[in-house]
Amino acid sequence: MVSIATIFTSPTFKEDILCLNLYVEYNMMKDIIARDVFSKPSLSLGDVCTLCENAQWQLEIEECNIVLDTLWEQMNIGDWKDVSQSIRKFYSLVSAAKATILIIAEHFEAALKVCDLGIIFGYPLHDCNFLKEIGEELQSKTVKTLSQQIPPKHQPIKQKHDCLHLKLQTVPIITDMSLERFIQCLIDNKPVVIQNMLQHWPAFEKWTPEFFMINHGSRYVPVEIGSTYTSKTWTQTLMSIKEFIQKHVFKKEQVGYLAQYDILSHIPCLRNDIMDLDYLSVSESDVITNFWLGPEGTVSPLHNDPYHNMFCQIYGFKRFILYDPSADMNPHSSHLLSNTSQIDLENPNASALFPILLKEKGFVAELNPGDVLYMPPKWWHHVRSLSESISVSFWFDKSCCQ
């Protein structure tokens, strides 16, 4: 049996928990973690189940909650990027213990939520994330059949949304672009739309809001609430995919967006629906995958990103407005929004308020299902969903052309 259990069977375990609950210094918690957890070999899913079934290592849910609440407080001090991996690993470990106790009690949906929170906020232990394994198993218990259910696909209605006050040219559109020609686009640092690229993906036939609600509705994900992330009322919350789609995609009670989230890592079976793009062979760095699902009307304000971006429109329609990186688009002065412009491109008076728009050449691209938009790094872009929409983007920061 893996000796990781010693942290919970030691005579001082409850005292340690009590100290943690009374806001003991961070270094004491770090010492506990380093001494008793992370010097041990990797745990498997079977190890966790064995430990939790062992009468000498029977954690009560209340005790798990005390640890998780304390770790949560520690993780919410300062910037997320500064949170110690040890804290997040400990959060994953205790989440797995709590989930397994709930599984033994056959509280499967509650256990799945615990797993999802552990996946979102925790960190894999020794490159092994058994929370994802548990989540995949539990997901099959929350769906009526083990095989994925594919509801009838309906094509969303594209809404017209003009920006006639802006001087825009159409981004070049190409069908069957060769790899050589794509490399030339990288060299030229120019955006391009590649048509009909995704029809061979299983996701192109399967993925709709209904598909995600039926097959993955019990999974918890981070959702953005508010018109744009620059709004004072903008916030983020966690909710099940089913609740998100019912409230924010179908009923549209308020603007909600499942945006820029690596759902393919969170729910690994979805990777089977995505095929590799040949164009990604030019990358000489890791590829970052993001997922986007939302209703008609979601907006990402004018901003730029430091990556090459292959934006794949799987379902529905989206409009991009782009400007060259050299354009002075009046970015915010604050560090957190330094990549975001203060210009509201959809304001009819935008050109009068910001004369730069009369001088700079802008581009527009309206993506249909199956289209891929390539955007070079640092290009300013404003995005509006013209219908219900599902997209995947691939980012990389180094190419063979650099």
Side-chain angles (χ1 to χ4, degrees):
M1 180 180 294
V2 180
S3 58
I4 195 171
T6 57
I7 189 172
F8 299 109
T9 57
S10 69
T12 63
F13 170 69
K14 290 191 176 182
E15 285 137 26
D16 287 340
I17 296 299
L18 179 61
C19 289
L20 288 172
N21 199 39
L22 295 174
Y23 309 101
V24 71
E25 290 292 324
Y26 163 74
N27 283 335
M28 179 177 178
M29 183 163 61
K30 184 173 67 174
D31 289 343
I32 294 170
I33 297 167
R35 183 183 70 243
D36 294 323
V37 179
F38 299 110
S39 61
K40 309 303 179 186
S42 173
L43 279 177
S44 69
L45 177 57
D47 291 328
V48 175
C49 292
T50 300
L51 291 171
C52 284
E53 289 169 353
N54 189 313
Q56 296 180 353
W57 199 73
Q58 189 63 268
L59 275 179
E60 297 292 339
I61 293 295
E62 291 78 6
E63 291 175 327
C64 288
N65 288 339
I66 291 172
V67 181
L68 291 173
D69 288 347
T70 304
L71 293 172
W72 179 254
E73 291 175 4
Q74 292 287 334
M75 291 191 296
N76 281 275
I77 297 174
D79 292 338
W80 176 251
K81 63 180 176 62
D82 297 326
V83 176
S84 164
Q85 283 189 13
S86 294
I87 295 292
R88 294 179 61 194
K89 286 180 177 180
F90 200 13
Y91 190 92
S92 293
L93 177 70
V94 181
S95 295
K98 179 179 177 180
T100 309
I101 294 169
L102 290 168
I103 291 170
I104 294 170
E106 298 188 356
H107 298 309
F108 299 128
E109 290 201 9
L112 183 55
K113 181 178 180 180
V114 171
C115 285
D116 283 334
L117 297 183
I119 292 169
I120 294 168
F121 299 112
Y123 196 90
L125 293 169
H126 299 282
D127 299 321
C128 172
N129 197 335
F130 44 75
L131 282 171
K132 293 181 182 179
E133 294 182 45
I134 300 173
E136 295 271 88
E137 286 293 321
L138 288 169
Q139 183 172 302
S140 69
K141 296 181 181 297
T142 62
V143 178
K144 291 183 179 179
T145 63
L146 293 179
S147 61
Q148 288 185 327
Q149 301 178 60
I150 305 176
K153 183 173 182 178
H154 73 275
Q155 204 50 257
I157 300 173
K158 181 179 181 181
Q159 302 296 321
K160 191 173 181 62
H161 196 280
D162 292 322
C163 280
L164 299 178
H165 57 286
L166 301 175
K167 295 183 178 180
L168 303 173
Q169 300 181 21
T170 302
V171 172
I173 300 172
I174 298 175
T175 303
D176 296 327
M177 174 181 274
S178 66
L179 183 59
E180 291 75 14
R181 189 168 182 182
F182 176 70
I183 290 174
Q184 189 59 50
C185 288
L186 268 68
I187 295 171
D188 294 340
N189 198 43
K190 298 295 184 184
V192 63
V193 173
I194 312 168
Q195 285 188 322
N196 304 321
M197 280 297 301
L198 311 178
Q199 277 78 354
H200 64 292
W201 284 13
F204 187 78
E205 292 299 327
K206 295 165 60 174
W207 286 13
T208 63
E210 292 88 349
F211 169 83
F212 279 93
M213 188 168 68
I214 292 172
N215 293 285
H216 306 286
S218 297
R219 306 307 299 265
Y220 276 73
V221 291
V223 174
E224 299 180 2
I225 304 295
S227 55
T228 71
Y229 64 77
T230 55
S231 169
K232 292 182 179 180
T233 59
W234 181 90
T235 187
Q236 288 182 299
T237 188
L238 293 170
M239 64 177 65
S240 70
I241 291 177
K242 180 179 180 180
E243 180 184 4
F244 160 65
I245 291 174
Q246 286 177 332
K247 286 186 175 180
H248 301 289
V249 178
F250 292 159
K251 294 183 180 179
K252 300 180 183 178
E253 293 181 1
Q254 62 182 137
V255 178
Y257 201 10
L258 173 47
Q260 198 173 314
Y261 183 63
D262 187 4
I263 203 168
L264 301 185
S265 175
H266 190 140
I267 308 176
C269 65
L270 291 173
R271 288 189 177 275
N272 299 329
D273 296 338
I274 297 294
M275 311 295 285
D276 289 336
L277 293 173
D278 291 340
Y279 307 120
L280 292 176
S281 63
V282 304
S283 171
E284 294 186 349
S285 61
D286 291 338
V287 176
I288 300 170
T289 305
N290 284 311
F291 174 83
W292 317 73
L293 189 160
E296 182 268 327
T298 56
V299 170
S300 296
L302 188 64
H303 68 286
N304 63 50
D305 298 304
Y307 304 102
H308 297 271
N309 187 349
M310 302 294 295
F311 192 92
C312 304
Q313 187 62 23
I314 297 172
Y315 175 85
F317 305 87
K318 274 191 173 175
R319 185 202 63 200
F320 283 72
I321 298 174
L322 303 98
Y323 288 90
D324 188 275
S326 62
D328 182 6
M329 303 309 285
N330 199 24
H332 287 266
S333 57
S334 68
H335 174 70
L336 289 176
L337 293 175
S338 60
N339 73 326
T340 303
S341 171
Q342 297 182 62
I343 302 174
D344 178 6
L345 290 184
E346 296 189 345
N347 182 343
N349 296 318
S351 297
L353 295 171
F354 300 96
I356 188 71
L357 296 177
L358 299 174
K359 301 176 183 178
E360 294 292 341
K361 181 169 62 175
F363 297 86
V364 63
E366 291 195 359
L367 301 186
N368 298 316
D371 289 348
V372 175
L373 170 64
Y374 166 68
M375 280 187 296
K378 293 292 186 178
W379 270 72
W380 294 97
H381 53 286
H382 174 283
V383 191
R384 169 176 279 273
S385 296
L386 302 177
S387 70
E388 298 170 2
S389 176
I390 300 175
S391 319
V392 171
S393 65
F394 300 101
W395 288 354
F396 57 97
D397 59 8
K398 292 183 181 179
S399 76
C400 62
C401 305
Q402 291 175 294

